[in-house]
Amino acid sequence: MARKKTDVSFAELVGVLEGKLRPPLGVVLGSPREAAEIATALTAPERGPIVCYQMDLYQAERLTEELAAQGAEGRVVTAPHLRDLPEPLQTLVYPVPKGGERILKLDMLEQAFHALRPHGTLVVLSPYEKDQFIPAAMKKIYGRVHSPAGGGGAVFWAQRERERPRRRHEITFQVSRGDTPSLRFLSRPGVFSYGRFDDGARALVETAEVGPGDKILDVGCGCGTNGVCVGLRTEPQGRVTFVDSNVRALALAEHNARANGLAEFRVVASSRVEGMPEGDFDVALANPPYYAQLGIAALFIERSAALLRPGGRLYLVTRQPDQVGPLVAESFGPTQVVERRGYIVLSAEKPRRGAPRRDV
């Protein structure tokens, strides 16, 4: 049955739950504009600055800009987990996204319990009227859940009244490597390809050609599968750099690199694929989200071109070769195309110094 989007505004929320919104307050995820609007509605001299939690540096930077534009007194904290906040809060407001990962929503409801002070309150804004999923999930975690009068059936709150063990929403999956031992990867919600090694990543890893001692750059690394699988083929002298804007992804990439015995690696948190020496890498691996705007693919390609040494190779997997291929050709020149597992892997070599530039 189709559900209608709620008409409850953030200003109305403050009025409906005035007695429950006690400082210190925090906002859990939400789009940058949405989180800033909530923080603005909650801002009051007696409440102090609002803590806004994000997992992604890019989103956090945009949220900081939105807070400044709206004049809200907020502090943005970026961390792998909500429970990693510097100190427990008395009230958390979680604007649940429309659609999105159900398991990530459960993870945030669970982690909010451990990010609250005793008797602290979680307020959840649902994008659906007469939501059944959210209150049922909150009841399992908090014991009792309330929907205040005037909430339109889309506002729920619950209190932390008892202790409960932490539940980790995570999945470990295996990646086979023919005659060599399988690799094991830990994944958590909110990170690309939760619980599985998708066919696009497999196609990328199977196509990439590397040699002993190569320096590998895993762009938008997720939980690190691509960098680990390819990096192990460059040992003992090889090195892998994992870069992502999602700090939860980077924590997983570091864990998985260690757990699978990768000898030399480092992780870099960056929203713009920065913070690494240019011209330092032999191979760049990229698996940009095909459902997102081409801007992410363009960023991965542009920064890979800058970070690779002359003669270094880019391998990029996509389902949009007609759109992404010209971007690779513009930065690198001649591009090879390999079709594998229903995906297209584009590969190109960075022009060597003094070599004439040739476009496809």
Side-chain angles (χ1 to χ4, degrees):
M1 181 177 65
R3 295 178 177 179
K4 298 179 181 179
K5 194 176 189 302
T6 178
D7 293 326
V8 178
S9 71
F10 305 130
E12 289 172 333
L13 166 69
V14 175
V16 169
L17 293 171
E18 184 62 44
K20 304 297 180 185
L21 301 173
R22 294 173 293 166
L25 296 99
V27 180
V28 180
L29 299 180
S31 69
R33 176 167 295 181
E34 185 177 44
E37 289 176 354
I38 295 174
T40 300
L42 296 177
T43 295
E46 67 274 13
R47 291 189 176 127
I50 311 300
V51 177
C52 299
Y53 166 75
Q54 292 285 329
M55 282 194 299
D56 191 280
L57 291 173
Y58 178 72
Q59 295 291 84
E61 291 168 2
R62 291 182 57 205
L63 175 53
T64 300
E65 295 171 357
E66 288 282 353
L67 288 170
Q70 297 188 30
E73 189 177 357
R75 177 166 62 98
V76 181
V77 176
T78 310
H81 303 287
L82 178 58
R83 60 176 181 267
D84 295 332
L85 290 176
E87 58 183 3
L89 300 179
Q90 188 63 39
T91 307
L92 285 169
V93 179
Y94 177 30
V96 175
K98 190 172 185 179
E101 291 182 77
R102 177 173 283 209
I103 190 66
L104 178 59
K105 298 172 186 178
L106 291 174
D107 189 43
M108 289 299 102
L109 296 177
E110 175 76 32
Q111 289 204 34
F113 183 96
H114 300 286
L116 286 168
R117 294 178 178 179
H119 311 296
T121 302
L122 170 66
V123 178
V124 177
L125 310 181
S126 170
Y128 306 110
E129 293 180 356
K130 300 180 180 179
D131 193 323
Q132 297 179 354
F133 169 71
I134 290 296
M138 292 176 69
K139 186 175 182 179
K140 289 182 179 180
I141 298 170
Y142 295 85
R144 292 199 297 178
V145 60
H146 309 272
S147 183
V155 179
F156 307 96
W157 66 272
Q159 286 187 297
R160 174 179 174 168
E161 299 289 2
R162 55 189 171 82
E163 292 300 320
R164 68 178 268 120
R166 290 182 177 179
R167 180 184 177 189
R168 297 180 181 273
H169 293 277
E170 57 189 31
I171 294 177
T172 299
F173 61 92
Q174 292 194 156
V175 175
S176 61
R177 297 190 297 161
D179 296 333
T180 58
S182 296
L183 303 176
R184 291 173 61 85
F185 291 91
L186 180 68
S187 64
R188 294 192 174 107
V191 176
F192 172 71
S193 197
Y194 172 62
R196 64 188 179 90
F197 191 40
D198 78 292
D199 284 342
R202 288 182 184 274
L204 180 64
V205 167
E206 291 168 353
T207 304
E209 297 180 3
V210 298
D214 276 352
K215 297 178 180 179
I216 308 298
L217 176 67
D218 190 353
V219 187
C221 63
C223 69
T225 51
N226 300 338
V228 171
C229 291
V230 173
L232 289 172
R233 304 194 325 237
T234 71
E235 293 190 328
Q237 292 84 22
R239 186 188 73 193
V240 180
T241 296
F242 301 93
V243 59
D244 207 297
S245 61
N246 186 316
V247 294
R248 175 176 283 193
L250 287 173
L252 288 167
E254 181 173 4
H255 169 89
N256 289 325
R258 295 187 190 282
N260 287 293
L262 191 64
E264 295 290 335
F265 71 90
R266 66 170 178 152
V267 298
V268 177
S270 173
S271 64
R272 302 291 301 175
V273 196
E274 296 172 334
M276 296 153 287
E278 297 193 353
D280 190 50
F281 295 92
D282 300 293
V283 173
L285 309 172
N287 185 4
Y290 64 85
Y291 52 82
Q293 294 181 350
L294 286 177
I296 297 178
L299 173 66
F300 285 8
I301 294 165
E302 177 185 340
R303 293 303 299 150
S304 294
L307 294 166
L308 286 168
R309 64 168 176 78
R313 303 176 301 283
L314 167 69
Y315 294 92
L316 182 147
V317 63
T318 183
R319 277 185 167 174
Q320 300 172 299
D322 292 341
Q323 292 77 35
V324 177
L327 300 177
V328 175
E330 182 178 352
S331 292
F332 286 85
T335 303
Q336 294 182 328
V337 178
V338 174
E339 186 173 358
R340 190 186 296 267
R341 296 182 179 270
Y343 286 80
I344 298 297
V345 179
L346 305 172
S347 62
E349 181 178 298
K350 181 176 178 177
R352 300 176 185 272
R353 291 186 178 92
R357 169 68 185 279
R358 293 181 302 158
D359 294 329
V360 176

